[in-house]
Amino acid sequence: MPEPTPMAEPIAISMPEPSRLRRLRPGLIVLLLLAVVFLLLPHVYGNETLLFTLMTFIVLAQGLNLLYGFTGYLPFGYVGFFGCGAYATSLLVLHSGLPVLLCVLGGGVASTLMALVLGPLLRLSGAYFSIASLAASQILYFVVSNTNLADITGGPYGLKIEQVYAPGASYNTMLAVLLLATGLAAWFRSSRFGMGLRAMRQDPVSASMAGIDVVRARLLTWLISASVAGLAGGAYAWNLSVFYPEAVFTLQISVFAIVFALFGGVGTVIGPIIGAAVLYTLYAAIGISTPQYFQLIYGLLIVLLVLFLPGGILSLFTRRGVRVF
């Protein structure tokens, strides 16, 4: 009997998938451009303080973008994490004897722990969450500015860490925090974790049924966003070296971060960068010398943004089929 002819094994044909390098390329380009720009600008533009503040607001807009842009949770009290990082860093400098960079990292850890304590706020949604986060930041402000705690927090008199004043080192530290925040946004944009967050924002019930741990993902994003603000607050306190509670807990910081992120476009990587660069430049040009005109222009911009560009200025490109990163 002739032996049966073996059947040929099926040939698996797979569609080509984009390589990891290809997915990471846009993020790497953005990070490289940011590093080059902010390393070269101090040699071209003499006001390093303005550049440092611009980096601070880009970091805060990017950190807020991680939470709001990918989960839909808008924290009006985001400044609370910034102030917590500033105070934790300063207290570590005064009492621990650790190197300043470790103290800045301690500020990020302190803000992360504070976010963990405030984690139950994530059970709220919409305006309730926003108002609750605002109340939490105000509680932190009243605690650190309490005269009865002046021996610990400095109370309303603030803190002084002028012994470690180093504008150049603190500038480079804020740049590192900026690159970290932007790298996280790029990872959120291109990773499965970020896709899961966007699915949760659209329909949390369907995302949960698809196997996404909604509670865990929200909490992790909340902690990451808080740690970014805490690191920024630590580097900011190091740069100032002398500051009062109002300087790091003012609600204007939250408002600026929110508006900058919304103006550029949340859920993207370059949107908060563009929004902060454009609006803070406008603020530096006219807001300091003629604040009344800046408030008028600022208010008009916000109204026009809400009415015609709710997705930010990057939505002008997405409407024409241009993919933005």
Side-chain angles (χ1 to χ4, degrees), residues 35 74 85 97 118-119 143 157 172 211 249 256 261:
L74 182 60
L118 297 176
V143 168
Y157 314 108
N172 293 330
F249 280 103
F256 273 22

Side-chain angles (χ1 to χ4, degrees), residues 5-319:
T5 304
M7 296 183 64
E9 295 183 359
I11 300 175
I13 301 176
S14 59
M15 297 298 292
E17 296 182 359
S19 65
R20 179 171 296 183
L21 181 60
R22 184 178 177 183
R23 293 198 307 268
L24 296 178
R25 188 180 302 161
L28 294 175
I29 292 174
V30 173
L31 291 176
L32 180 61
L33 289 175
L34 281 175
V36 170
V37 166
F38 282 103
L39 285 174
L40 293 180
L41 272 178
H43 302 286
V44 179
Y45 183 71
N47 193 342
E48 191 171 297
T49 300
L50 188 145
L51 296 176
F52 181 88
T53 308
L54 173 59
M55 283 196 298
T56 302
F57 279 115
I58 295 177
V59 171
L60 291 173
Q62 201 68 273
L64 187 137
N65 176 47
L66 295 176
L67 184 64
Y68 178 61
F70 292 89
T71 68
Y73 279 79
L74 182 60
F76 286 167
Y78 192 58
V79 66
F81 298 128
F82 180 77
C84 182
Y87 266 83
T89 297
S90 302
L91 291 175
L92 286 173
V93 168
L94 292 173
H95 303 295
S96 71
L98 294 172
V100 185
L101 287 177
L102 288 181
C103 294
V104 173
L105 290 176
V109 172
S111 293
T112 305
L113 293 176
M114 183 58 64
L116 189 60
V117 172
L118 297 176
L121 293 182
L122 295 173
R123 296 180 180 180
L124 305 174
S125 61
Y128 299 102
F129 170 80
S130 300
I131 295 173
S133 68
L134 176 61
S137 70
Q138 289 300 286
I139 291 172
L140 288 174
Y141 165 72
F142 287 121
V143 168
V144 300
S145 61
N146 191 337
T147 54
N148 296 323
L149 297 176
D151 294 336
I152 302 174
T153 65
Y157 314 108
L159 292 174
K160 298 179 181 180
I161 53 172
E162 68 273 11
Q163 65 271 24
V164 296
Y165 178 68
S170 58
Y171 181 94
N172 293 330
T173 301
M174 185 61 79
L175 176 57
V177 177
L178 170 60
L179 297 179
L180 172 64
T182 305
L184 286 170
W187 179 63
F188 275 33
R189 181 76 175 173
S190 58
S191 67
R192 287 186 176 182
F193 179 75
M195 293 176 63
L197 292 178
R198 291 195 292 272
M200 286 164 37
R201 179 176 182 177
Q202 294 291 332
D203 191 342
V205 176
S206 298
S208 179
M209 294 177 64
I212 299 174
D213 191 336
V214 174
V215 175
R216 179 177 175 272
R218 281 175 178 168
L219 179 61
L220 182 58
T221 307
W222 170 248
L223 297 178
I224 292 174
S225 177
S227 66
V228 168
L231 291 172
Y236 187 77
W238 184 14
N239 185 266
L240 286 183
S241 294
V242 178
F243 62 91
Y244 299 97
E246 293 82 1
V248 293
F249 280 103
T250 174
L251 294 180
Q252 187 181 31
I253 294 177
S254 281
V255 173
F256 273 22
I258 293 170
V259 174
F260 291 169
L262 292 176
F263 182 81
V266 294
T268 66
V269 177
I270 63 174
I273 300 173
I274 295 174
V278 172
L279 293 184
Y280 187 74
T281 301
L282 179 63
Y283 171 76
I286 63 175
I288 298 175
S289 59
T290 54
Q292 65 275 19
Y293 296 115
F294 171 76
Q295 292 172 3
L296 174 62
I297 296 174
Y298 208 58
L300 288 175
L301 280 175
I302 294 174
V303 171
L304 293 175
L305 178 69
V306 171
L307 291 178
F308 301 106
L309 291 175
I313 58 176
L314 289 184
S315 63
L316 292 173
F317 299 94
T318 56
R319 290 176 182 177

